Coordinates of all heavy atoms in Angstrom, one line a residue:
P43 N -6.8 -10.7 -12.2 CA -6.4 -12.1 -12.5 C -7.1 -12.7 -13.6 O -8.2 -12.3 -14.0 CB -6.7 -12.7 -11.2 CG -8.0 -12.0 -10.8 CD -7.9 -10.6 -11.3
G44 N -6.5 -13.7 -14.3 CA -7.2 -14.4 -15.3 C -6.4 -15.5 -16.0 O -5.2 -15.6 -15.7
S45 N -7.0 -16.2 -16.9 CA -6.3 -17.2 -17.6 C -5.6 -16.6 -18.8 O -4.5 -17.0 -19.3 CB -7.2 -18.3 -18.1 OG -7.9 -18.9 -17.0
F46 N -6.3 -15.6 -19.4 CA -5.7 -14.9 -20.6 C -5.2 -15.8 -21.7 O -4.1 -15.7 -22.2 CB -4.6 -13.9 -20.2 CG -5.1 -12.9 -19.1 CD1 -4.7 -13.1 -17.8 CD2 -6.0 -11.9 -19.4 CE1 -5.1 -12.2 -16.8 CE2 -6.4 -11.0 -18.5 CZ -6.0 -11.2 -17.1
V72 N -3.0 -16.8 -14.1 CA -3.1 -17.9 -13.2 C -2.4 -19.2 -13.8 O -2.5 -19.4 -15.0 CB -4.6 -18.3 -12.9 CG1 -5.3 -18.8 -14.1 CG2 -4.6 -19.3 -11.7
K77 N -6.2 -27.0 -16.2 CA -6.3 -26.8 -17.6 C -5.0 -27.4 -18.2 O -4.0 -26.7 -18.3 CB -6.5 -25.4 -18.0 CG -7.9 -24.9 -17.6 CD -8.2 -23.5 -18.1 CE -9.5 -23.0 -17.6 NZ -9.8 -21.6 -17.8
F106 N 0.7 -16.4 -11.0 CA 0.6 -16.9 -9.6 C 0.0 -18.3 -9.7 O -0.6 -18.7 -10.7 CB -0.3 -16.0 -8.7 CG -1.8 -16.1 -9.1 CD1 -2.7 -16.9 -8.3 CD2 -2.3 -15.3 -10.1 CE1 -4.0 -16.9 -8.6 CE2 -3.7 -15.4 -10.5 CZ -4.5 -16.2 -9.7
G108 N -1.9 -21.4 -7.2 CA -2.7 -21.5 -6.0 C -3.8 -20.5 -5.8 O -4.3 -20.0 -6.8
L109 N -4.1 -20.1 -4.6 CA -5.2 -19.2 -4.3 C -4.8 -17.8 -4.7 O -3.8 -17.3 -4.3 CB -5.6 -19.3 -2.9 CG -6.4 -20.6 -2.5 CD1 -6.7 -20.5 -1.0 CD2 -7.7 -20.7 -3.2
L110 N -5.8 -17.1 -5.3 CA -5.6 -15.7 -5.6 C -5.5 -14.9 -4.3 O -4.7 -14.0 -4.2 CB -6.9 -15.2 -6.4 CG -7.0 -13.7 -6.7 CD1 -5.8 -13.3 -7.5 CD2 -8.3 -13.4 -7.4
A111 N -6.3 -15.3 -3.3 CA -6.2 -14.6 -2.0 C -4.8 -14.6 -1.4 O -4.4 -13.6 -0.8 CB -7.3 -15.2 -1.0
K124 N -12.1 -7.3 -11.5 CA -12.7 -8.3 -12.4 C -13.5 -7.5 -13.5 O -14.1 -6.5 -13.2 CB -13.6 -9.2 -11.7 CG -12.9 -10.2 -10.7 CD -12.2 -11.3 -11.5 CE -11.7 -12.4 -10.6 NZ -12.7 -13.4 -10.3
F138 N -17.2 -15.6 -6.0 CA -15.7 -15.5 -5.9 C -15.3 -14.3 -5.0 O -14.4 -14.4 -4.2 CB -15.1 -15.2 -7.3 CG -15.0 -16.4 -8.2 CD1 -14.6 -16.3 -9.5 CD2 -15.4 -17.7 -7.8 CE1 -14.5 -17.4 -10.4 CE2 -15.4 -18.8 -8.6 CZ -14.9 -18.6 -9.9
M141 N -15.9 -15.1 -1.4 CA -14.9 -16.1 -1.0 C -13.5 -15.4 -0.8 O -12.8 -15.6 0.2 CB -14.7 -17.2 -2.0 CG -13.7 -18.3 -1.6 SD -14.0 -19.0 0.0 CE -15.2 -20.3 -0.4
N142 N -13.1 -14.6 -1.8 CA -11.8 -13.9 -1.6 C -11.8 -12.9 -0.4 O -10.8 -12.8 0.2 CB -11.5 -13.2 -2.9 CG -11.0 -14.1 -4.0 OD1 -10.2 -15.0 -3.7 ND2 -11.4 -14.0 -5.2
Ligands
PNS213 O1 -9.9 -15.9 -16.9 P1 -10.5 -16.9 -15.9 O2 -10.1 -18.3 -16.2 O3 -12.0 -16.7 -15.8 O4 -9.9 -16.5 -14.5 C1 -10.3 -17.2 -13.3 C2 -9.5 -16.8 -12.1 C3 -8.0 -17.0 -12.4 C4 -9.7 -15.4 -11.7 C5 -9.9 -17.8 -11.0 O5 -9.9 -19.1 -11.4 C6 -9.0 -17.8 -9.8 O6 -9.0 -16.8 -9.0 N1 -8.1 -18.8 -9.7 C7 -7.1 -18.9 -8.6 C8 -7.6 -20.0 -7.6 C9 -8.5 -19.4 -6.6 O7 -8.2 -18.5 -5.8 N2 -9.7 -20.0 -6.5 C10 -10.8 -19.5 -5.6 C11 -11.5 -18.4 -6.3 S1 -12.6 -17.6 -5.1

Side-chain angles (χ1 to χ4, degrees):
S45 303
F46 304 107
V72 67
K77 291 190 184 166
F106 71 101
L109 285 177
L110 175 61
K124 290 286 188 82
F138 284 178
M141 180 57 83
N142 282 318

